[in-house]
Amino acid sequence: MEMKQVSDHCFAVLNEKNRVCDANSGLINLAGGVLIDTQSDLAHARQMIELFSRVWPAMPRRVINTHEDADHVWGNQLFQGAEIIAHRSVPERMKHVADPKESQKLLHGVGHFLTRLVLKTLHPGIVAAGRQLLEDYNFDGIELVLPTTLFDTGYELNLDGTEVHVIYVGPCHQVGDTIIHVPKERVVFAGDVLFRQCAPIGWTGSYEKWFQCLDLIVQLNPKVIVPGHGPLCGVEGAIEMKAYLQYIRDESKKCFDAGLTSLDAAKRIELGPSSEWRAPARLFMNVERAYREFRNEPPDAPWDQAATFDAIYQVAKARGIEAEF
């Protein structure tokens, strides 16, 4: 984990491994401090606080959750008394997708030999993902703390004369997707609508909505974008990710029309430049998402998470690459 200054008053904490749960956070050190996303477990949240304390000595008065996923909200409990800002959909969604009990059970099970043996027989992908998480994370002690200030389409902050625009753009990656724009400093905190140098994951939404969001980021013309995952970038990061998603959707349509399953398509589609990204086998989810659209399924159709991680594992094995999540 490292901290980088991205403008006069904007900072980012980046998780350098860039795998699942390795989410980034942001800080605007004005008017009591604004923190953007709170990390995946308490240890990482405390490390983030220590890094940001070098440029902002107090705990921030405000927290913004860019969406409902666990790796962006599980540090919320450490910011007692802070105003926690998020889209109106986020609190209820957090109860469903960020309940720590299942993740705690998974890591305890994977860490136990006999349980791991049974799980591996049934769901090798879940075991592989759990063992990867155990390298860096401990979900014990996490309590779900929900946002306290909710908005519909947008929320405005004035931080000692610096305007901050909190813009709802979802659903792209998740229902509550929100970006934070600091026009004066030409910075966008993108949350998980932007993954950088790792394959993106989309749980709820549509390709078209995601394209519109990436186009919006480009139109805002930031000098620096802090993605939800991966290293800092400029608008080239949004352009590159849109090109990746367009390519995967187009290739998926060819495979769909040829009668292939989404799993077979994910094993076959050429990775191109994304072969150098972290977790390239995640492309299964982007293929399956395209297939859902081709089948006219609703954008919020639920995922079988065990089957999804198993499919990613199978894609990696079929391609002869590391099973990474």
Side-chain angles (χ1 to χ4, degrees):
M1 185 183 283
E2 65 173 344
M3 181 180 71
K4 289 192 174 183
Q5 183 168 3
V6 299
S7 68
D8 288 346
H9 298 100
C10 295
F11 299 79
V13 157
L14 310 172
N15 275 294
E16 296 166 277
K17 283 191 177 181
N18 202 11
R19 304 186 299 186
V20 69
C21 280
D22 292 336
N24 298 329
S25 294
L27 175 74
I28 307 169
N29 66 346
L30 290 168
V34 179
L35 178 70
I36 298 152
D37 289 335
T38 61
Q39 295 291 309
S40 297
D41 69 5
L42 300 182
H44 281 76
R46 291 187 179 106
Q47 187 178 357
M48 172 196 66
I49 290 168
E50 192 278 326
L51 288 170
F52 280 147
S53 71
R54 299 174 189 177
V55 296
W56 188 256
M59 291 292 273
R61 285 173 47 196
R62 299 181 180 94
V63 172
I64 302 173
N65 290 147
T66 60
H67 61 290
E68 61 265 35
D69 278 344
D71 53 337
H72 296 258
V73 304
W74 272 353
N76 282 6
Q77 72 193 73
L78 298 182
F79 300 91
Q80 293 184 8
E83 177 186 16
I84 303 179
I85 302 164
H87 183 256
R88 189 166 303 281
S89 64
V90 168
E92 195 61 33
R93 288 284 298 169
M94 280 175 62
K95 296 174 188 177
H96 295 287
V97 305
D99 185 342
K101 295 184 183 65
E102 286 303 312
S103 295
Q104 290 163 352
K105 188 187 303 181
L106 169 64
L107 291 202
H108 291 160
V110 168
H112 188 275
F113 175 74
L114 288 177
T115 306
R116 184 170 70 243
L117 201 62
V118 173
L119 269 176
K120 191 168 184 178
T121 302
L122 298 173
H123 294 295
I126 284 287
V127 171
R131 295 187 78 170
Q132 176 184 299
L133 285 168
L134 277 173
E135 295 175 16
D136 299 298
Y137 292 96
N138 183 337
F139 299 139
D140 290 349
I142 293 170
E143 300 172 3
L144 209 56
V145 173
L146 304 178
T148 54
T149 298
L150 308 179
F151 65 90
D152 293 308
T153 59
Y155 193 78
E156 303 294 323
L157 296 172
N158 188 308
L159 308 179
D160 298 334
T162 295
E163 292 183 358
V164 175
H165 305 308
V166 185
I167 306 167
Y168 178 61
V169 294
C172 304
H173 158 83
Q174 269 289 18
V175 174
D177 287 326
T178 297
I179 64 173
I180 296 89
H181 182 215
V182 190
K184 184 177 179 181
E185 306 206 0
R186 295 188 62 197
V187 173
V188 166
F189 296 91
D192 280 4
V193 301
L194 182 60
F195 288 66
R196 182 70 170 150
Q197 295 180 11
C198 61
I201 294 175
W203 295 104
T204 302
S206 68
Y207 271 91
E208 286 304 323
K209 189 72 171 176
W210 211 333
F211 293 157
Q212 291 169 15
C213 175
L214 293 169
D215 287 342
L216 171 62
I217 291 173
V218 172
Q219 290 166 14
L220 294 174
N221 193 30
K223 184 177 180 180
V224 181
I225 302 172
V226 181
H229 295 261
L232 302 173
C233 60
V235 293
E236 78 282 352
I239 293 169
E240 180 183 72
M241 185 169 146
K242 183 180 177 183
Y244 168 86
L245 291 171
Q246 287 177 317
Y247 168 75
I248 296 300
R249 187 179 66 171
D250 291 346
E251 293 300 304
S252 297
K253 186 62 165 66
K254 296 175 187 175
C255 294
F256 180 83
D257 290 344
L260 273 66
T261 66
S262 56
L263 179 58
D264 286 338
K267 293 176 181 178
R268 177 178 297 193
I269 292 171
E270 290 294 329
L271 294 173
S274 67
S275 63
E276 302 300 318
W277 295 358
R278 299 306 299 257
R282 288 181 192 163
L283 84 105
F284 165 76
M285 290 190 66
N286 300 312
V287 174
E288 170 60 20
R289 182 173 186 163
Y291 269 52
R292 291 176 176 210
E293 292 188 10
F294 303 150
R295 296 190 295 255
N296 295 314
E297 295 176 8
D300 59 349
W303 292 78
D304 181 331
Q305 291 201 16
T308 299
F309 280 97
D310 286 348
I312 294 170
Y313 180 85
Q314 290 178 54
V315 169
K317 291 300 182 184
R319 291 180 174 273
I321 59 178
E322 181 181 358
E324 194 172 54
F325 301 86

